[in-house]
Amino acid sequence: MSSGPSTKTPLRAFWHDLPREGRLLLSIVVVEFIGTGLVLPFWVVYLHEVRGFSLATTGLLIGVQPLAGLIAAVPGGGLIDRIGARLVLVGSTTLVLVGEAVMAFASTAPLAALGFALSGCAFGVSFPASQTLVATIMPSHLRQRYYGLNFSLLNLGIGVGGIVGGAFVDVHRLWTFQTIYLVDAATFLAPLFVLLVPLRHVTGRAEHDEAETTKPSYREVARLPGMRTMVLLNFVASFVAYAQLNSGMPAFARDVAHVSTQGLGLAFAANTLVIVLLQLVVLQRIEGRRRTRVMVVMSAVWALSWVLMGASGLVPDTWGATVLIATCASVFALGETLLQPTMPAITNDLTTDRLRGRSNALASIAFQVPMVLAPPISGWLIGHHQQVPYVVGLVVGCGLVALLAVTRLEPLLSPTANGVGVRGPLDDPPPGTAADALRESAGQP
């Protein structure tokens, strides 16, 4: 037994351990995402009930954002590697600020499409850029904790924003919706200031050797050991999980379980609350454990959440159905707290500095494509009364995630990439690290 400090680094020690740049980035997360929470729940209400667009037009307009993000992600990854993540984030933050301001005055469909296109392009490159910037600032042994804490603060901001927005907006007063969009735009001034002033010395870019004869490319990213499997895992996990939470679960709750809109709102509130309350606890529990095995637990948790959703269809139009849907969203949130610290950390430990922007962009694309594909598929299955095959398919898909993590990804990961090979100054050696290192040096799996 070690006589040193506890293997579970407390939050205070973690904050003290962070580089100054990391503390600056975390300090503005809540402010930035309060603005997102103000507008995110009310897209359909604003466009359909306030601006008067038909539901069909509203659906098309909302679809512009993820489509624009996918289109921007590929060139965005290359741009990150070429000019640095910080400058790309400055550009994307400015872009989303303008996009949200346009949405405040989107009285016509083309204006609304422009607003969604601007914000979609911004979000398409901001995710890989922010992941890259964090990876260049944070040492490897702190990234998992950083990504998890960032996710908790992000959800806290969205939750607070949603509560404030719900209490403030009124469908009979256009100015209330214009106000929340303008406030959302203003919240991006905080990260813009941090990027332009205190972080102006950070590039978020690897120094390129002028003697290099080959330029970074996505083909080179695909050749990195484990990266193709990681991209596949991102795709499958997104398809059977996040894409369903945003589209399939609400459709199932409304059309099969007959849960009220208030009940659905309660479910999403519970989801956010669980993330905020449990993320730090989960971070301490998974520290020093194999990330691939954490993903197995994550898959089992998600499978349970879909079983609970399916059970709600057995007692439609009852309080029991509402409780089951809320429990489904809460259990799903536990899986989210396992996902967010691990998968981005693996991606950034698999790649190299010169390919970091493209690697994060590729992971982002793999995660975003199901957001476009899943809604029509889940909508068709639920609309054609195929709820049993739908739920069974999701549970089997969660099993596939676990299988890929253990049988395909784990053998390709070094102890460091799998979260057991690096320790920080405040950590004891995680269990199994020495054994893993000996097996690796001996050429054993």
Side-chain angles (χ1 to χ4, degrees):
M1 180 178 294
S2 172
S3 59
S6 169
T7 59
K8 306 304 181 187
T9 307
L11 177 60
R12 182 179 300 175
F14 169 55
W15 184 261
H16 180 270
D17 236 14
L18 283 177
R20 170 178 171 272
E21 295 83 357
R23 292 197 294 267
L24 282 169
L25 287 174
L26 279 178
S27 67
I28 46 93
V29 170
V30 173
V31 175
E32 180 180 349
F33 281 92
I34 281 178
T36 302
L38 283 173
V39 301
L40 185 61
F42 307 110
W43 281 351
V44 174
V45 175
Y46 176 58
L47 295 173
H48 177 55
E49 296 185 35
V50 178
R51 288 298 185 181
F53 302 132
S54 69
L55 280 174
T57 300
T58 296
L60 288 174
L61 289 171
I62 293 174
V64 168
Q65 190 178 68
L67 183 60
L70 286 175
I71 293 171
V74 173
L79 196 63
I80 293 166
D81 288 331
R82 188 159 55 250
I83 69 173
R86 186 184 68 87
L87 287 179
V88 171
L89 276 174
V90 168
S92 65
T93 303
T94 303
L95 208 59
V96 72
L97 189 158
V98 175
E100 295 307 293
V102 169
M103 287 300 298
F105 304 99
S107 57
T108 65
L111 265 181
L114 175 63
F116 276 124
L118 290 173
S119 60
C121 287
F123 288 130
V125 298
S126 64
F127 177 80
S130 61
Q131 299 290 76
T132 300
L133 185 65
V134 168
T136 58
I137 289 173
M138 303 294 297
S140 180
H141 69 277
L142 290 177
R143 286 176 195 157
Q144 178 169 294
R145 304 177 211 168
Y146 182 98
Y147 290 134
L149 184 56
N150 180 80
F151 184 61
S152 179
L153 293 173
L154 179 155
N155 276 274
L156 177 60
I158 291 177
V160 171
I163 293 171
V164 173
F168 178 74
V169 295
D170 183 341
V171 293
H172 301 296
R173 292 179 173 86
L174 170 62
W175 66 268
T176 61
F177 285 86
Q178 291 179 312
T179 298
I180 63 171
Y181 274 101
L182 291 175
V183 171
D184 183 24
T187 60
F188 291 100
L189 292 173
L192 202 55
F193 172 80
V194 169
L195 291 167
L196 288 173
V197 182
L199 292 184
R200 62 185 180 277
H201 64 287
V202 178
T203 63
R205 170 184 177 272
E207 295 299 326
H208 295 284
D209 186 350
E210 294 182 0
E212 288 180 352
T213 57
T214 59
K215 294 182 178 180
S217 66
Y218 280 100
R219 181 176 297 179
E220 190 178 353
V221 173
R223 288 201 296 263
L224 291 171
M227 188 58 74
R228 282 178 292 184
T229 303
M230 196 63 215
V231 169
L232 178 61
L233 260 172
N234 268 288
F235 177 87
V236 178
S238 177
F239 191 91
V240 300
Y242 269 92
Q244 305 303 329
L245 180 72
N246 294 331
S247 59
M249 191 274 279
F252 192 99
R254 293 290 292 154
D255 292 355
V256 180
H258 300 158
V259 173
S260 68
T261 54
Q262 291 85 357
L264 197 54
L266 174 66
F268 278 102
N271 175 272
T272 300
L273 182 63
V274 168
I275 291 170
V276 172
L277 293 179
L278 292 188
Q279 183 67 83
L280 293 179
V281 177
V282 170
L283 279 173
Q284 289 186 326
R285 297 300 183 200
I286 67 176
E287 187 76 22
R289 301 183 186 276
R290 294 176 186 269
R291 291 167 179 163
T292 47
R293 304 304 169 89
V294 172
M295 291 166 66
V296 171
V297 177
M298 171 194 79
S299 302
V301 169
W302 279 344
L304 174 60
S305 73
W306 298 139
V307 170
L308 290 168
M309 180 186 73
S312 71
L314 302 177
V315 286
D317 204 19
T318 65
W319 274 106
T322 300
V323 170
L324 284 167
I325 288 295
T327 307
C328 161
S330 302
V331 172
F332 187 93
L334 176 60
E336 292 182 77
T337 65
L338 295 167
L339 169 78
Q340 292 298 334
T342 53
M343 293 184 78
I346 292 175
T347 299
N348 280 283
D349 280 337
L350 284 176
T351 192
T352 62
D353 285 341
R354 70 193 295 267
L355 297 172
R356 202 171 294 283
R358 287 175 173 84
S359 299
N360 281 300
L362 197 59
S364 177
I365 291 168
F367 207 81
Q368 288 297 321
V369 167
M371 301 294 182
V372 178
L373 299 179
I377 294 174
S378 59
W380 187 91
L381 287 170
I382 294 171
H384 286 77
H385 308 291
Q386 300 298 312
Q387 52 264 33
V388 173
Y390 173 63
V391 174
V392 171
L394 294 183
V395 173
V396 171
C398 291
L400 179 60
V401 171
L403 190 65
L404 287 170
V406 173
T407 64
R408 293 286 301 276
L409 183 63
E410 188 170 297
L412 300 174
L413 298 182
S414 66
T416 297
N418 210 5
V420 294
V422 173
R423 66 187 183 97
L426 298 178
D427 296 325
D428 287 333
T433 301
D436 286 342
L438 287 172
R439 283 197 297 270
E440 188 180 49
S441 64
Q444 299 175 5

